[in-house]
Amino acid sequence: MNRVSIGTWAYSVGPYADNPVPFGEVVKGLKAMGFDGLELGAFGAHPTPDNHPTKESRQTLRDFVLSNDLEFSGIAGDMWSEKLVNAEDGGQSYLATVRKNLEFAKDLGITLFRVDTVQPPEVLDTVEKSLAMDRVVKTWRQVCRMAADMGMLVTWEFEPGFVFNRPSDIVALVDAVGEKNFGAMFDTCHAYTCGVMGLRQTGGPKEVSPDGVLELAKRLRGKINAIQVIDCDGSLNDHHTSTHNPMGEGNIDFPPVMKELAAHSGSPHDWWTIDLCFWPNAWPATQKCKKAVDKLNALVSGKRAASKAPKKSKAPAAKARKKSAPAKKAKKSAKRGKRR
């Protein structure tokens, strides 16, 4: 059975930006729901390198998570003010921000560090594609070496909101980086919008397939070092990236995909991470997603689903957030949020 975590960014950005669920409440709620861990979104009101600047404050944070029977499955740092493809400083500002977040992650005992290409697909209208990929590859190799010195993996989350989202380019970029501690983050939602829908693809002809999620998983065999599980209806949200529908509210055929990933992904750990980023009322939807992923986990492993939650324990009452229906198409003036 795989361990199950969830990204905490879902409760601090988008619909939650003005009224985030306090981190302490998130931790206690996830414990009550039987989660094994959490993936830290290190931005906004939740723990960051800046609001936890000392080793003592970071140790206190780590102890709090562990005392609630949870572990950190990974971290996503605040990188989106940086440039990568057209950086005029050779990526030095980007690397400095990476180092700050890597040191924070190390102090928390986190061993999986997420990156993305930070700039929209349309950047290829102004930067030649081979040059753009070369810059990303060279910078990420440096990130991987820094991370390796700290005992960490680096995982790339591809998605329609950022450059290099065609299936062939995704595989090519992973191969080009080539570091032992580098791999792709296979987010089922983004795999659907990239492989089946072909949303916001640039840099070549559109690449789509009815079985695009499974096909992309097969093309990335042995090159995946992180797995995120969430449904998708094939639309873009207000932030120009994949709509992260709760489990059972999208179009993904999960069993064959998850069986493929379980057998051939190459992931060196056993975490499955749920991602409800930008979903209205993500906190109330968390329990439903956990139950669905537990059933999927049992199906893939051939074992009965088991919860670590106390039998008589109930999750704290979810705080209602003002709900707005997720956009079916990207709105023309919406600005990208912190985490995809």
Side-chain angles (χ1 to χ4, degrees):
M1 296 283 285
N2 292 277
R3 290 180 292 171
V4 180
S5 67
I6 192 164
T8 65
W9 48 82
Y11 317 120
S12 65
V13 301
Y16 285 81
D18 295 329
N19 190 20
V21 182
F23 187 73
E25 183 178 328
V26 171
V27 170
K28 293 183 182 298
L30 296 183
K31 175 184 179 180
M33 286 183 259
F35 276 85
D36 300 293
L38 57 86
E39 199 126 311
L40 180 60
F43 35 79
H46 284 183
T48 71
D50 298 321
N51 61 30
H52 285 70
T54 66
K55 287 188 178 294
E56 291 77 13
S57 63
R58 295 172 183 185
Q59 186 62 50
T60 298
L61 171 61
R62 183 181 183 185
D63 290 344
F64 172 65
V65 172
L66 293 175
S67 68
N68 280 277
D69 300 322
L70 299 173
E71 296 180 40
F72 291 104
S73 62
I75 187 171
D78 186 354
M79 302 294 304
W80 300 284
S81 62
E82 299 294 337
K83 292 183 179 180
L84 186 56
V85 170
N86 59 357
E88 297 179 357
D89 64 351
Q92 292 309 303
S93 177
Y94 178 93
L95 289 170
T97 301
V98 165
R99 179 171 291 280
K100 179 175 75 171
N101 282 276
L102 281 173
E103 290 171 349
F104 179 56
K106 180 182 178 182
D107 288 342
L108 294 177
I110 297 174
T111 58
L112 181 74
F113 186 82
R114 173 196 176 275
V115 296
D116 58 51
T117 51
V118 304
Q119 292 179 272
E122 294 77 17
V123 73
L124 294 185
D125 293 338
T126 59
V127 180
E128 196 271 326
K129 182 179 177 180
S130 61
L131 175 60
M133 185 169 287
D134 184 62
R135 287 174 174 173
V136 173
V137 169
K138 288 181 178 179
T139 303
W140 280 357
R141 283 177 179 169
Q142 294 182 68
V143 172
C144 289
R145 289 162 192 159
M146 285 193 291
D149 289 340
M150 300 182 191
M152 277 185 250
L153 301 172
V154 178
T155 188
W156 168 38
E157 185 174 11
F158 58 83
E159 60 176 280
F162 292 132
V163 66
F164 299 127
N165 54 32
R166 296 165 68 242
S168 61
D169 290 334
I170 293 167
V171 176
L173 183 49
V174 174
D175 287 342
V177 174
E179 298 290 334
K180 291 182 179 180
N181 63 331
F182 182 79
M185 174 183 285
F186 196 93
D187 181 309
T188 54
C189 174
H190 294 320
Y192 187 84
T193 52
C194 290
V196 177
M197 306 302 296
L199 301 181
R200 300 191 69 191
Q201 288 186 1
T202 60
K206 197 169 188 178
E207 299 177 6
V208 296
S209 166
D211 296 319
V213 181
L214 182 58
E215 287 183 10
L216 186 51
K218 290 179 178 179
R219 293 179 71 175
L220 287 168
R221 280 183 173 181
K223 304 172 183 179
I224 296 167
N225 63 2
I227 295 170
Q228 291 193 342
V229 190
I230 197 65
D231 218 334
C232 186
D233 62 7
S235 69
L236 294 175
N237 60 29
D238 291 351
H239 303 271
H240 303 262
T241 194
S242 316
T243 300
H244 292 62
N245 301 80
M247 299 294 290
E249 297 183 27
N251 304 327
I252 298 176
D253 183 12
F254 280 100
V257 174
M258 302 314 294
K259 288 179 180 180
E260 163 65 28
L261 292 173
H264 304 294
S265 70
S267 178
H269 57 82
D270 62 350
W271 286 106
W272 282 1
T273 300
I274 298 168
D275 187 357
L276 280 167
C277 189
F278 295 136
W279 186 257
N281 286 315
W283 188 232
T286 298
Q287 183 82 76
K288 173 184 178 180
C289 289
K290 175 62 165 58
K291 290 180 178 179
V293 171
D294 283 347
K295 290 181 180 179
L296 186 60
N297 205 353
L299 175 66
V300 170
S301 67
K303 299 178 181 179
R304 293 181 60 185
S307 173
K308 59 180 279 191
K311 290 183 179 180
K312 295 183 180 181
S313 175
K314 294 183 180 181
K319 291 184 178 180
R321 263 44 177 196
K322 186 177 180 181
K323 184 173 181 179
S324 57
K328 293 295 180 181
K329 295 183 180 179
K331 294 183 179 179
K332 61 182 180 180
S333 62
K335 183 178 180 181
R336 272 187 80 74
K338 290 284 186 185
R339 170 65 171 73
R340 280 79 187 169

